[in-house]
Amino acid sequence: MNQFKYIYQRPDGATCFDRYFAYLGTIRQDMPPALASFSMEPDRYALDSDGTLHDAWLESLNVEKEYAGTAQGSSTVKLRLLHSSHESIINLVYTDVLGMKSSLQPSQWPLQPADLLVHEFCMLEAGIFRHFIEFDREMWVEIIFRGFDFSVLARH
């Protein structure tokens, strides 16, 4: 399943980010500050760095809805990832969420934690962003949102 718009694979199988980082540079001024800071950091995509999401495990995915009386308010999605070193937790918080899709059932047995392989942010239209996250064994998460924040915490 290739849901990436800018990240691609060469014929030799290497994943390439050159078009992606060039694209992020063109939309940087349109991104919320936390999203620009997080998405434009090359270490978030590296195979082996302290800040990478590569090989992280999904610990939790929570959807929260707000209501104002009888009217539906905004939605928030919180993604909690265990860093591949198992020494830190990466919390991703998407606010004013417009949509979310996922396939969290692994395509192969045994059931064991799935490694995060690649992730990509893009702007769908002014002020609306998409984060697509691909895990191994055909698992994935797609979030359409307006606001973003993150934190990285030491695991105790």
Side-chain angles (χ1 to χ4, degrees), residues 38 42-47 49-57 79 81-84 90 92 94 114-121 131 133-135 148 152:
F38 187 87
D43 279 352
R44 302 282 179 211
Y45 308 86
L47 291 180
S49 76
D50 291 339
T52 191
L53 271 61
H54 184 74
D55 286 341
W57 293 352
L79 209 71
L81 301 168
L82 176 61
H83 187 270
S84 61
I90 303 161
L92 306 178
Y94 309 85
D115 290 341
L116 191 152
L117 299 175
V118 183
H119 66 105
E120 179 186 82
F121 289 94
H131 193 192
I133 305 168
E134 182 178 86
F135 295 86
F148 178 83
V152 179

PDB file of all heavy atoms in Angstrom, residues 38 42-47 49-57 79 81-84 90 92 94 114-121 131 133-135 148 152:
ATOM      1  N   PHE A  38       8.408  19.669  14.232  1.00  0.00           N
ATOM      2  CA  PHE A  38       8.452  18.208  14.269  1.00  0.00           C
ATOM      3  C   PHE A  38       8.696  17.617  12.885  1.00  0.00           C
ATOM      4  O   PHE A  38       9.569  16.775  12.700  1.00  0.00           O
ATOM      5  CB  PHE A  38       7.150  17.655  14.849  1.00  0.00           C
ATOM      6  CG  PHE A  38       7.181  16.179  15.086  1.00  0.00           C
ATOM      7  CD1 PHE A  38       7.671  15.664  16.270  1.00  0.00           C
ATOM      8  CD2 PHE A  38       6.718  15.289  14.128  1.00  0.00           C
ATOM      9  CE1 PHE A  38       7.715  14.296  16.504  1.00  0.00           C
ATOM     10  CE2 PHE A  38       6.753  13.928  14.341  1.00  0.00           C
ATOM     11  CZ  PHE A  38       7.252  13.432  15.534  1.00  0.00           C
ATOM     12  N   PRO A  42      14.994  16.133  10.198  1.00  0.00           N
ATOM     13  CA  PRO A  42      15.375  14.888   9.514  1.00  0.00           C
ATOM     14  C   PRO A  42      15.530  13.690  10.450  1.00  0.00           C
ATOM     15  O   PRO A  42      15.278  12.550  10.038  1.00  0.00           O
ATOM     16  CB  PRO A  42      16.706  15.235   8.843  1.00  0.00           C
ATOM     17  CG  PRO A  42      16.657  16.719   8.670  1.00  0.00           C
ATOM     18  CD  PRO A  42      15.885  17.233   9.868  1.00  0.00           C
ATOM     19  N   ASP A  43      15.926  13.925  11.700  1.00  0.00           N
ATOM     20  CA  ASP A  43      16.089  12.810  12.641  1.00  0.00           C
ATOM     21  C   ASP A  43      14.779  12.078  12.917  1.00  0.00           C
ATOM     22  O   ASP A  43      14.795  10.929  13.361  1.00  0.00           O
ATOM     23  CB  ASP A  43      16.681  13.297  13.962  1.00  0.00           C
ATOM     24  CG  ASP A  43      18.184  13.461  13.893  1.00  0.00           C
ATOM     25  OD1 ASP A  43      18.788  13.056  12.879  1.00  0.00           O
ATOM     26  OD2 ASP A  43      18.769  14.003  14.846  1.00  0.00           O
ATOM     27  N   ARG A  44      13.634  12.696  12.655  1.00  0.00           N
ATOM     28  CA  ARG A  44      12.333  12.035  12.872  1.00  0.00           C
ATOM     29  C   ARG A  44      12.120  10.880  11.888  1.00  0.00           C
ATOM     30  O   ARG A  44      11.255  10.043  12.088  1.00  0.00           O
ATOM     31  CB  ARG A  44      11.178  13.018  12.707  1.00  0.00           C
ATOM     32  CG  ARG A  44      11.243  14.199  13.628  1.00  0.00           C
ATOM     33  CD  ARG A  44      10.790  13.849  15.006  1.00  0.00           C
ATOM     34  NE  ARG A  44      10.915  15.037  15.846  1.00  0.00           N
ATOM     35  CZ  ARG A  44      11.182  15.010  17.120  1.00  0.00           C
ATOM     36  NH1 ARG A  44      11.339  13.854  17.728  1.00  0.00           N
ATOM     37  NH2 ARG A  44      11.297  16.112  17.804  1.00  0.00           N
ATOM     38  N   TYR A  45      12.916  10.864  10.816  1.00  0.00           N
ATOM     39  CA  TYR A  45      12.738   9.884   9.740  1.00  0.00           C
ATOM     40  C   TYR A  45      13.932   8.940   9.600  1.00  0.00           C
ATOM     41  O   TYR A  45      13.863   7.968   8.862  1.00  0.00           O
ATOM     42  CB  TYR A  45      12.523  10.613   8.411  1.00  0.00           C
ATOM     43  CG  TYR A  45      11.416  11.646   8.493  1.00  0.00           C
ATOM     44  CD1 TYR A  45      11.672  12.947   8.927  1.00  0.00           C
ATOM     45  CD2 TYR A  45      10.108  11.301   8.182  1.00  0.00           C
ATOM     46  CE1 TYR A  45      10.660  13.880   9.020  1.00  0.00           C
ATOM     47  CE2 TYR A  45       9.085  12.235   8.276  1.00  0.00           C
ATOM     48  CZ  TYR A  45       9.374  13.525   8.704  1.00  0.00           C
ATOM     49  OH  TYR A  45       8.365  14.453   8.809  1.00  0.00           O
ATOM     50  N   ALA A  46      15.015   9.236  10.289  1.00  0.00           N
ATOM     51  CA  ALA A  46      16.252   8.469  10.162  1.00  0.00           C
ATOM     52  C   ALA A  46      16.067   7.034  10.659  1.00  0.00           C
ATOM     53  O   ALA A  46      15.187   6.751  11.476  1.00  0.00           O
ATOM     54  CB  ALA A  46      17.369   9.149  10.947  1.00  0.00           C
ATOM     55  N   LEU A  47      16.917   6.154  10.155  1.00  0.00           N
ATOM     56  CA  LEU A  47      16.821   4.760  10.591  1.00  0.00           C
ATOM     57  C   LEU A  47      17.252   4.580  12.034  1.00  0.00           C
ATOM     58  O   LEU A  47      16.717   3.736  12.745  1.00  0.00           O
ATOM     59  CB  LEU A  47      17.666   3.859   9.687  1.00  0.00           C
ATOM     60  CG  LEU A  47      17.158   3.700   8.263  1.00  0.00           C
ATOM     61  CD1 LEU A  47      18.091   2.793   7.473  1.00  0.00           C
ATOM     62  CD2 LEU A  47      15.742   3.157   8.247  1.00  0.00           C
ATOM     63  N   SER A  49      18.246   7.172  15.097  1.00  0.00           N
ATOM     64  CA  SER A  49      18.580   8.412  15.792  1.00  0.00           C
ATOM     65  C   SER A  49      17.724   8.504  17.048  1.00  0.00           C
ATOM     66  O   SER A  49      16.720   7.804  17.176  1.00  0.00           O
ATOM     67  CB  SER A  49      18.345   9.637  14.897  1.00  0.00           C
ATOM     68  OG  SER A  49      16.966   9.926  14.805  1.00  0.00           O
ATOM     69  N   ASP A  50      18.128   9.373  17.936  1.00  0.00           N
ATOM     70  CA  ASP A  50      17.384   9.513  19.190  1.00  0.00           C
ATOM     71  C   ASP A  50      15.970  10.048  18.978  1.00  0.00           C
ATOM     72  O   ASP A  50      15.087   9.793  19.777  1.00  0.00           O
ATOM     73  CB  ASP A  50      18.140  10.421  20.159  1.00  0.00           C
ATOM     74  CG  ASP A  50      19.413   9.776  20.681  1.00  0.00           C
ATOM     75  OD1 ASP A  50      19.519   8.532  20.635  1.00  0.00           O
ATOM     76  OD2 ASP A  50      20.303  10.520  21.136  1.00  0.00           O
ATOM     77  N   GLY A  51      15.749  10.801  17.885  1.00  0.00           N
ATOM     78  CA  GLY A  51      14.443  11.404  17.652  1.00  0.00           C
ATOM     79  C   GLY A  51      13.573  10.688  16.649  1.00  0.00           C
ATOM     80  O   GLY A  51      12.464  11.125  16.364  1.00  0.00           O
ATOM     81  N   THR A  52      14.045   9.578  16.110  1.00  0.00           N
ATOM     82  CA  THR A  52      13.318   8.911  15.032  1.00  0.00           C
ATOM     83  C   THR A  52      12.018   8.272  15.493  1.00  0.00           C
ATOM     84  O   THR A  52      11.891   7.862  16.643  1.00  0.00           O
ATOM     85  CB  THR A  52      14.201   7.855  14.345  1.00  0.00           C
ATOM     86  OG1 THR A  52      13.551   7.412  13.154  1.00  0.00           O
ATOM     87  CG2 THR A  52      14.476   6.677  15.250  1.00  0.00           C
ATOM     88  N   LEU A  53      11.100   8.168  14.562  1.00  0.00           N
ATOM     89  CA  LEU A  53       9.895   7.378  14.784  1.00  0.00           C
ATOM     90  C   LEU A  53      10.064   5.985  14.187  1.00  0.00           C
ATOM     91  O   LEU A  53       9.282   5.082  14.478  1.00  0.00           O
ATOM     92  CB  LEU A  53       8.672   8.048  14.148  1.00  0.00           C
ATOM     93  CG  LEU A  53       7.905   9.037  15.026  1.00  0.00           C
ATOM     94  CD1 LEU A  53       8.749  10.200  15.456  1.00  0.00           C
ATOM     95  CD2 LEU A  53       6.662   9.499  14.316  1.00  0.00           C
ATOM     96  N   HIS A  54      11.089   5.800  13.368  1.00  0.00           N
ATOM     97  CA  HIS A  54      11.324   4.509  12.723  1.00  0.00           C
ATOM     98  C   HIS A  54      11.494   3.413  13.777  1.00  0.00           C
ATOM     99  O   HIS A  54      12.220   3.573  14.744  1.00  0.00           O
ATOM    100  CB  HIS A  54      12.559   4.572  11.827  1.00  0.00           C
ATOM    101  CG  HIS A  54      12.803   3.305  11.070  1.00  0.00           C
ATOM    102  ND1 HIS A  54      12.034   2.939   9.984  1.00  0.00           N
ATOM    103  CD2 HIS A  54      13.680   2.307  11.267  1.00  0.00           C
ATOM    104  CE1 HIS A  54      12.453   1.781   9.532  1.00  0.00           C
ATOM    105  NE2 HIS A  54      13.451   1.363  10.296  1.00  0.00           N
ATOM    106  N   ASP A  55      10.802   2.321  13.597  1.00  0.00           N
ATOM    107  CA  ASP A  55      10.809   1.154  14.479  1.00  0.00           C
ATOM    108  C   ASP A  55      10.115   1.385  15.819  1.00  0.00           C
ATOM    109  O   ASP A  55      10.163   0.519  16.699  1.00  0.00           O
ATOM    110  CB  ASP A  55      12.219   0.603  14.715  1.00  0.00           C
ATOM    111  CG  ASP A  55      12.761  -0.148  13.514  1.00  0.00           C
ATOM    112  OD1 ASP A  55      11.954  -0.556  12.657  1.00  0.00           O
ATOM    113  OD2 ASP A  55      13.993  -0.332  13.434  1.00  0.00           O
ATOM    114  N   ALA A  56       9.446   2.541  15.989  1.00  0.00           N
ATOM    115  CA  ALA A  56       8.667   2.764  17.208  1.00  0.00           C
ATOM    116  C   ALA A  56       7.453   1.836  17.204  1.00  0.00           C
ATOM    117  O   ALA A  56       6.990   1.397  16.143  1.00  0.00           O
ATOM    118  CB  ALA A  56       8.212   4.216  17.295  1.00  0.00           C
ATOM    119  N   TRP A  57       6.951   1.535  18.382  1.00  0.00           N
ATOM    120  CA  TRP A  57       5.761   0.700  18.536  1.00  0.00           C
ATOM    121  C   TRP A  57       4.590   1.574  18.959  1.00  0.00           C
ATOM    122  O   TRP A  57       4.744   2.472  19.800  1.00  0.00           O
ATOM    123  CB  TRP A  57       5.966  -0.360  19.604  1.00  0.00           C
ATOM    124  CG  TRP A  57       6.975  -1.414  19.269  1.00  0.00           C
ATOM    125  CD1 TRP A  57       7.604  -1.618  18.073  1.00  0.00           C
ATOM    126  CD2 TRP A  57       7.468  -2.412  20.157  1.00  0.00           C
ATOM    127  NE1 TRP A  57       8.451  -2.686  18.158  1.00  0.00           N
ATOM    128  CE2 TRP A  57       8.391  -3.202  19.436  1.00  0.00           C
ATOM    129  CE3 TRP A  57       7.219  -2.730  21.474  1.00  0.00           C
ATOM    130  CZ2 TRP A  57       9.059  -4.280  20.003  1.00  0.00           C
ATOM    131  CZ3 TRP A  57       7.887  -3.799  22.043  1.00  0.00           C
ATOM    132  CH2 TRP A  57       8.800  -4.567  21.309  1.00  0.00           C
ATOM    133  N   LEU A  79      -1.726   9.964  19.899  1.00  0.00           N
ATOM    134  CA  LEU A  79      -0.957   8.778  19.514  1.00  0.00           C
ATOM    135  C   LEU A  79       0.239   8.697  20.446  1.00  0.00           C
ATOM    136  O   LEU A  79       0.969   9.674  20.617  1.00  0.00           O
ATOM    137  CB  LEU A  79      -0.483   8.965  18.074  1.00  0.00           C
ATOM    138  CG  LEU A  79      -0.274   7.764  17.205  1.00  0.00           C
ATOM    139  CD1 LEU A  79      -1.607   7.146  16.845  1.00  0.00           C
ATOM    140  CD2 LEU A  79       0.412   8.200  15.928  1.00  0.00           C
ATOM    141  N   LEU A  81       3.688   6.566  21.111  1.00  0.00           N
ATOM    142  CA  LEU A  81       4.632   5.631  20.506  1.00  0.00           C
ATOM    143  C   LEU A  81       5.774   5.335  21.461  1.00  0.00           C
ATOM    144  O   LEU A  81       6.296   6.247  22.109  1.00  0.00           O
ATOM    145  CB  LEU A  81       5.204   6.223  19.215  1.00  0.00           C
ATOM    146  CG  LEU A  81       4.201   6.581  18.121  1.00  0.00           C
ATOM    147  CD1 LEU A  81       4.878   7.425  17.049  1.00  0.00           C
ATOM    148  CD2 LEU A  81       3.615   5.324  17.520  1.00  0.00           C
ATOM    149  N   LEU A  82       6.160   4.070  21.528  1.00  0.00           N
ATOM    150  CA  LEU A  82       7.335   3.671  22.295  1.00  0.00           C
ATOM    151  C   LEU A  82       8.526   3.716  21.352  1.00  0.00           C
ATOM    152  O   LEU A  82       8.550   3.017  20.337  1.00  0.00           O
ATOM    153  CB  LEU A  82       7.155   2.266  22.865  1.00  0.00           C
ATOM    154  CG  LEU A  82       8.347   1.665  23.612  1.00  0.00           C
ATOM    155  CD1 LEU A  82       8.715   2.515  24.824  1.00  0.00           C
ATOM    156  CD2 LEU A  82       8.042   0.229  24.017  1.00  0.00           C
ATOM    157  N   HIS A  83       9.499   4.564  21.655  1.00  0.00           N
ATOM    158  CA  HIS A  83      10.693   4.703  20.810  1.00  0.00           C
ATOM    159  C   HIS A  83      11.390   3.349  20.672  1.00  0.00           C
ATOM    160  O   HIS A  83      11.316   2.505  21.564  1.00  0.00           O
ATOM    161  CB  HIS A  83      11.654   5.725  21.438  1.00  0.00           C
ATOM    162  CG  HIS A  83      12.817   6.067  20.585  1.00  0.00           C
ATOM    163  ND1 HIS A  83      14.000   5.378  20.627  1.00  0.00           N
ATOM    164  CD2 HIS A  83      12.974   7.020  19.633  1.00  0.00           C
ATOM    165  CE1 HIS A  83      14.847   5.898  19.760  1.00  0.00           C
ATOM    166  NE2 HIS A  83      14.248   6.896  19.138  1.00  0.00           N
ATOM    167  N   SER A  84      12.059   3.144  19.567  1.00  0.00           N
ATOM    168  CA  SER A  84      12.716   1.854  19.306  1.00  0.00           C
ATOM    169  C   SER A  84      13.736   1.480  20.379  1.00  0.00           C
ATOM    170  O   SER A  84      13.983   0.305  20.617  1.00  0.00           O
ATOM    171  CB  SER A  84      13.382   1.863  17.932  1.00  0.00           C
ATOM    172  OG  SER A  84      14.376   2.861  17.875  1.00  0.00           O
ATOM    173  N   ILE A  90       7.007   8.912  22.678  1.00  0.00           N
ATOM    174  CA  ILE A  90       6.733  10.031  21.780  1.00  0.00           C
ATOM    175  C   ILE A  90       5.221  10.207  21.751  1.00  0.00           C
ATOM    176  O   ILE A  90       4.489   9.297  21.346  1.00  0.00           O
ATOM    177  CB  ILE A  90       7.270   9.749  20.360  1.00  0.00           C
ATOM    178  CG1 ILE A  90       8.772   9.444  20.428  1.00  0.00           C
ATOM    179  CG2 ILE A  90       6.970  10.916  19.428  1.00  0.00           C
ATOM    180  CD1 ILE A  90       9.313   8.724  19.217  1.00  0.00           C
ATOM    181  N   LEU A  92       2.120  12.237  20.221  1.00  0.00           N
ATOM    182  CA  LEU A  92       1.673  13.091  19.131  1.00  0.00           C
ATOM    183  C   LEU A  92       0.216  13.437  19.394  1.00  0.00           C
ATOM    184  O   LEU A  92      -0.602  12.542  19.632  1.00  0.00           O
ATOM    185  CB  LEU A  92       1.803  12.377  17.786  1.00  0.00           C
ATOM    186  CG  LEU A  92       3.188  11.810  17.456  1.00  0.00           C
ATOM    187  CD1 LEU A  92       3.157  11.092  16.111  1.00  0.00           C
ATOM    188  CD2 LEU A  92       4.237  12.911  17.446  1.00  0.00           C
ATOM    189  N   TYR A  94      -3.049  15.499  17.862  1.00  0.00           N
ATOM    190  CA  TYR A  94      -3.671  16.143  16.707  1.00  0.00           C
ATOM    191  C   TYR A  94      -4.974  16.767  17.188  1.00  0.00           C
ATOM    192  O   TYR A  94      -5.812  16.065  17.761  1.00  0.00           O
ATOM    193  CB  TYR A  94      -3.976  15.115  15.625  1.00  0.00           C
ATOM    194  CG  TYR A  94      -2.796  14.248  15.255  1.00  0.00           C
ATOM    195  CD1 TYR A  94      -2.493  13.105  15.994  1.00  0.00           C
ATOM    196  CD2 TYR A  94      -1.987  14.568  14.170  1.00  0.00           C
ATOM    197  CE1 TYR A  94      -1.418  12.299  15.661  1.00  0.00           C
ATOM    198  CE2 TYR A  94      -0.905  13.770  13.826  1.00  0.00           C
ATOM    199  CZ  TYR A  94      -0.634  12.632  14.581  1.00  0.00           C
ATOM    200  OH  TYR A  94       0.441  11.835  14.256  1.00  0.00           O
ATOM    201  N   ALA A 114       4.060  -4.053  16.067  1.00  0.00           N
ATOM    202  CA  ALA A 114       4.415  -3.705  14.688  1.00  0.00           C
ATOM    203  C   ALA A 114       5.333  -2.486  14.710  1.00  0.00           C
ATOM    204  O   ALA A 114       5.092  -1.531  15.435  1.00  0.00           O
ATOM    205  CB  ALA A 114       3.156  -3.409  13.885  1.00  0.00           C
ATOM    206  N   ASP A 115       6.376  -2.544  13.915  1.00  0.00           N
ATOM    207  CA  ASP A 115       7.331  -1.437  13.830  1.00  0.00           C
ATOM    208  C   ASP A 115       6.815  -0.359  12.892  1.00  0.00           C
ATOM    209  O   ASP A 115       6.324  -0.655  11.801  1.00  0.00           O
ATOM    210  CB  ASP A 115       8.675  -1.929  13.277  1.00  0.00           C
ATOM    211  CG  ASP A 115       9.420  -2.822  14.246  1.00  0.00           C
ATOM    212  OD1 ASP A 115       9.117  -2.798  15.449  1.00  0.00           O
ATOM    213  OD2 ASP A 115      10.322  -3.542  13.783  1.00  0.00           O
ATOM    214  N   LEU A 116       6.970   0.903  13.301  1.00  0.00           N
ATOM    215  CA  LEU A 116       6.665   2.017  12.424  1.00  0.00           C
ATOM    216  C   LEU A 116       7.746   2.060  11.346  1.00  0.00           C
ATOM    217  O   LEU A 116       8.936   2.048  11.658  1.00  0.00           O
ATOM    218  CB  LEU A 116       6.635   3.326  13.219  1.00  0.00           C
ATOM    219  CG  LEU A 116       6.086   4.556  12.503  1.00  0.00           C
ATOM    220  CD1 LEU A 116       5.491   5.523  13.510  1.00  0.00           C
ATOM    221  CD2 LEU A 116       7.129   5.247  11.670  1.00  0.00           C
ATOM    222  N   LEU A 117       7.343   2.079  10.097  1.00  0.00           N
ATOM    223  CA  LEU A 117       8.301   2.083   8.998  1.00  0.00           C
ATOM    224  C   LEU A 117       8.575   3.492   8.487  1.00  0.00           C
ATOM    225  O   LEU A 117       9.711   3.950   8.485  1.00  0.00           O
ATOM    226  CB  LEU A 117       7.792   1.201   7.849  1.00  0.00           C
ATOM    227  CG  LEU A 117       7.573  -0.266   8.185  1.00  0.00           C
ATOM    228  CD1 LEU A 117       6.968  -0.994   7.004  1.00  0.00           C
ATOM    229  CD2 LEU A 117       8.872  -0.912   8.630  1.00  0.00           C
ATOM    230  N   VAL A 118       7.533   4.164   8.020  1.00  0.00           N
ATOM    231  CA  VAL A 118       7.681   5.483   7.395  1.00  0.00           C
ATOM    232  C   VAL A 118       6.455   6.313   7.738  1.00  0.00           C
ATOM    233  O   VAL A 118       5.353   5.779   7.880  1.00  0.00           O
ATOM    234  CB  VAL A 118       7.790   5.351   5.855  1.00  0.00           C
ATOM    235  CG1 VAL A 118       8.021   6.697   5.199  1.00  0.00           C
ATOM    236  CG2 VAL A 118       8.896   4.391   5.455  1.00  0.00           C
ATOM    237  N   HIS A 119       6.638   7.636   7.827  1.00  0.00           N
ATOM    238  CA  HIS A 119       5.502   8.534   8.040  1.00  0.00           C
ATOM    239  C   HIS A 119       5.709   9.795   7.225  1.00  0.00           C
ATOM    240  O   HIS A 119       6.836  10.185   6.944  1.00  0.00           O
ATOM    241  CB  HIS A 119       5.304   8.847   9.527  1.00  0.00           C
ATOM    242  CG  HIS A 119       6.417   9.624  10.127  1.00  0.00           C
ATOM    243  ND1 HIS A 119       6.302  10.968  10.414  1.00  0.00           N
ATOM    244  CD2 HIS A 119       7.673   9.273  10.482  1.00  0.00           C
ATOM    245  CE1 HIS A 119       7.446  11.399  10.940  1.00  0.00           C
ATOM    246  NE2 HIS A 119       8.287  10.371  10.992  1.00  0.00           N
ATOM    247  N   GLU A 120       4.584  10.407   6.835  1.00  0.00           N
ATOM    248  CA  GLU A 120       4.643  11.586   5.973  1.00  0.00           C
ATOM    249  C   GLU A 120       3.536  12.567   6.328  1.00  0.00           C
ATOM    250  O   GLU A 120       2.388  12.174   6.475  1.00  0.00           O
ATOM    251  CB  GLU A 120       4.494  11.156   4.510  1.00  0.00           C
ATOM    252  CG  GLU A 120       4.508  12.305   3.521  1.00  0.00           C
ATOM    253  CD  GLU A 120       4.223  11.852   2.108  1.00  0.00           C
ATOM    254  OE1 GLU A 120       3.015  11.690   1.774  1.00  0.00           O
ATOM    255  OE2 GLU A 120       5.178  11.638   1.355  1.00  0.00           O
ATOM    256  N   PHE A 121       3.913  13.838   6.435  1.00  0.00           N
ATOM    257  CA  PHE A 121       2.952  14.922   6.608  1.00  0.00           C
ATOM    258  C   PHE A 121       2.765  15.609   5.258  1.00  0.00           C
ATOM    259  O   PHE A 121       3.721  15.732   4.489  1.00  0.00           O
ATOM    260  CB  PHE A 121       3.484  15.972   7.589  1.00  0.00           C
ATOM    261  CG  PHE A 121       3.540  15.529   9.019  1.00  0.00           C
ATOM    262  CD1 PHE A 121       4.706  14.995   9.544  1.00  0.00           C
ATOM    263  CD2 PHE A 121       2.435  15.659   9.846  1.00  0.00           C
ATOM    264  CE1 PHE A 121       4.776  14.596  10.870  1.00  0.00           C
ATOM    265  CE2 PHE A 121       2.493  15.260  11.174  1.00  0.00           C
ATOM    266  CZ  PHE A 121       3.670  14.728  11.692  1.00  0.00           C
ATOM    267  N   HIS A 131      -1.391  13.322   8.222  1.00  0.00           N
ATOM    268  CA  HIS A 131      -0.243  12.531   8.653  1.00  0.00           C
ATOM    269  C   HIS A 131      -0.581  11.083   8.342  1.00  0.00           C
ATOM    270  O   HIS A 131      -1.565  10.543   8.856  1.00  0.00           O
ATOM    271  CB  HIS A 131       0.024  12.716  10.144  1.00  0.00           C
ATOM    272  CG  HIS A 131       1.343  12.188  10.583  1.00  0.00           C
ATOM    273  ND1 HIS A 131       1.666  12.051  11.919  1.00  0.00           N
ATOM    274  CD2 HIS A 131       2.450  11.779   9.905  1.00  0.00           C
ATOM    275  CE1 HIS A 131       2.904  11.572  12.026  1.00  0.00           C
ATOM    276  NE2 HIS A 131       3.387  11.394  10.811  1.00  0.00           N
ATOM    277  N   ILE A 133       0.918   7.277   8.542  1.00  0.00           N
ATOM    278  CA  ILE A 133       1.930   6.493   9.242  1.00  0.00           C
ATOM    279  C   ILE A 133       1.776   5.036   8.814  1.00  0.00           C
ATOM    280  O   ILE A 133       0.698   4.457   8.955  1.00  0.00           O
ATOM    281  CB  ILE A 133       1.759   6.600  10.776  1.00  0.00           C
ATOM    282  CG1 ILE A 133       1.757   8.067  11.211  1.00  0.00           C
ATOM    283  CG2 ILE A 133       2.842   5.802  11.491  1.00  0.00           C
ATOM    284  CD1 ILE A 133       1.304   8.281  12.639  1.00  0.00           C
ATOM    285  N   GLU A 134       2.855   4.473   8.311  1.00  0.00           N
ATOM    286  CA  GLU A 134       2.836   3.076   7.879  1.00  0.00           C
ATOM    287  C   GLU A 134       3.676   2.227   8.825  1.00  0.00           C
ATOM    288  O   GLU A 134       4.833   2.549   9.110  1.00  0.00           O
ATOM    289  CB  GLU A 134       3.402   2.970   6.467  1.00  0.00           C
ATOM    290  CG  GLU A 134       3.374   1.568   5.907  1.00  0.00           C
ATOM    291  CD  GLU A 134       3.897   1.535   4.487  1.00  0.00           C
ATOM    292  OE1 GLU A 134       5.128   1.434   4.322  1.00  0.00           O
ATOM    293  OE2 GLU A 134       3.074   1.628   3.565  1.00  0.00           O
ATOM    294  N   PHE A 135       3.062   1.158   9.314  1.00  0.00           N
ATOM    295  CA  PHE A 135       3.745   0.177  10.145  1.00  0.00           C
ATOM    296  C   PHE A 135       4.004  -1.065   9.303  1.00  0.00           C
ATOM    297  O   PHE A 135       3.429  -1.229   8.226  1.00  0.00           O
ATOM    298  CB  PHE A 135       2.880  -0.205  11.354  1.00  0.00           C
ATOM    299  CG  PHE A 135       2.625   0.921  12.310  1.00  0.00           C
ATOM    300  CD1 PHE A 135       1.567   1.794  12.110  1.00  0.00           C
ATOM    301  CD2 PHE A 135       3.447   1.114  13.407  1.00  0.00           C
ATOM    302  CE1 PHE A 135       1.323   2.838  12.992  1.00  0.00           C
ATOM    303  CE2 PHE A 135       3.222   2.159  14.296  1.00  0.00           C
ATOM    304  CZ  PHE A 135       2.154   3.022  14.086  1.00  0.00           C
ATOM    305  N   PHE A 148      -1.542  20.607  15.861  1.00  0.00           N
ATOM    306  CA  PHE A 148      -0.604  19.526  16.186  1.00  0.00           C
ATOM    307  C   PHE A 148       0.295  19.954  17.326  1.00  0.00           C
ATOM    308  O   PHE A 148       0.707  21.113  17.415  1.00  0.00           O
ATOM    309  CB  PHE A 148       0.250  19.214  14.953  1.00  0.00           C
ATOM    310  CG  PHE A 148       1.288  18.151  15.175  1.00  0.00           C
ATOM    311  CD1 PHE A 148       0.964  16.812  15.096  1.00  0.00           C
ATOM    312  CD2 PHE A 148       2.603  18.491  15.469  1.00  0.00           C
ATOM    313  CE1 PHE A 148       1.925  15.826  15.297  1.00  0.00           C
ATOM    314  CE2 PHE A 148       3.574  17.528  15.672  1.00  0.00           C
ATOM    315  CZ  PHE A 148       3.229  16.194  15.578  1.00  0.00           C
ATOM    316  N   VAL A 152       8.240  14.453  23.904  1.00  0.00           N
ATOM    317  CA  VAL A 152       9.059  13.252  24.035  1.00  0.00           C
ATOM    318  C   VAL A 152       9.450  13.163  25.507  1.00  0.00           C
ATOM    319  O   VAL A 152      10.032  14.096  26.056  1.00  0.00           O
ATOM    320  CB  VAL A 152      10.309  13.307  23.142  1.00  0.00           C
ATOM    321  CG1 VAL A 152      11.145  12.049  23.311  1.00  0.00           C
ATOM    322  CG2 VAL A 152       9.911  13.500  21.671  1.00  0.00           C
TER     323      VAL A 152
END
